Amino acid sequence: MRIDPHTHSTASDGTETPTQLMTSARHAALDVVGLTDHDTTAGWGEAAAAVPRTGVALLRGMEFSARHHGISIHILGFLFDDADADIQTHCRRVRESRVGRARAMVERLAADVPVNWEDVVAQVSGNATIGRPHIADALVSRGVVRTRAEAFDRFLNPRSPYYVPHYAPRATEVIHWVKKAGGEAVFAHPQAPQRGRVVPWEAFEELAQAGLFGVEIDHRDNAPESIPCLEKVAASLHLARFGASDYHGAGKPNRLGEHATSPAVIEALTERCLLEVIYP
Ligand code: AMP
Ligand code: ZN
Ligand code: FE
Ligand code: FE
């Protein structure tokens, strides 16, 4: 069983539609794929419809934008009821804030490079959750940079003068909402210094107390030297070990299945959750 629980589609900042993602998952020989778009579950229905044809099972999830003591972090929520009022409010608030934030970043960028809001809108499919990767794609389309990676290095990283933050709720609150809606929560890429400040080790205890289920240990953005400590902390707090690709399609080098989560962990997850994995 090969399980990759954390990926993105065009419902947020991935480059493949949910249907294309499911086909890619089949070509990558995955048995189960998790669709975890940023602050939206809009891709769930289309991905579920592709389960019978592709033979790949679907784990429904979402990557929540959150913060812990002022540090931006991501929390994966799995198998929760997405009609829950608090979760709907979360999505609406964060997605609205992401639009204002992207506009503000483009305004700053436009002072120095040829790019405008229309260029960014042209990169966003439908009602997708907007993020910096869409600004990166606009910079690529204008020939300012060659790749998303170059756009992040030169213009979009949190240390850049063009960077503007967006609203995000407390991670402890997010964990509470996910559990209340019948799901479980996992701390995504917790030791990724190139994404910005990382939380201190005490944070894991606070999040565990709030009901965190697992930690994404096997992820390409976690600093390799932090893995032994992550393993120790997760074991001592009884947090499940997750691994995933964080696949975004053509936008990033991450390949489907480059990291995986054990069937035992996914079984323990589903036993505690309201929704089920959708099998072919
Ligand atoms: P945002 O949601 O606007 O904060 O943007 C975060 C997204 O940008 C994440 O999904 C990352 O996958 C993506 N990202 C972060 N750093 C890079 C990079 N160096 N190259 C490509 N994508 C990146
Ligand atoms: Zn993303
Ligand atoms: Fe993330
Ligand atoms: Fe992600």
Side-chain angles (χ1 to χ4, degrees), residues 9 11 18-19 35 37 40-48 58:
S9 76
T19 306
L35 177 61
D37 279 304
T40 183
T41 61
W44 282 7
E46 188 185 316
L58 175 68

Side-chain angles (χ1 to χ4, degrees), residues 27-57:
H27 291 144
L30 294 181
D31 298 291
V32 184
V33 68
L35 177 61
T36 51
D37 279 304
H38 299 280
D39 306 302
T40 183
T41 61
W44 282 7
E46 188 185 316
V51 167
R53 180 178 53 77
T54 57
V56 178

Side-chain angles (χ1 to χ4, degrees), residues 202-218:
E202 303 85 77
F204 291 81
E205 197 171 337
E206 294 172 295
L207 298 178
Q209 263 160 25
L212 189 71
F213 177 77
V215 179
E216 197 175 48
I217 294 179
D218 306 300

Side-chain angles (χ1 to χ4, degrees), residues 6 8 38 63 74 188-189 195 219 246 248:
H6 174 181
H8 297 264
H38 299 280
E63 188 166 12
H74 288 169
H189 46 73
R195 287 170 176 261
H219 183 291
D246 203 356
H248 279 68

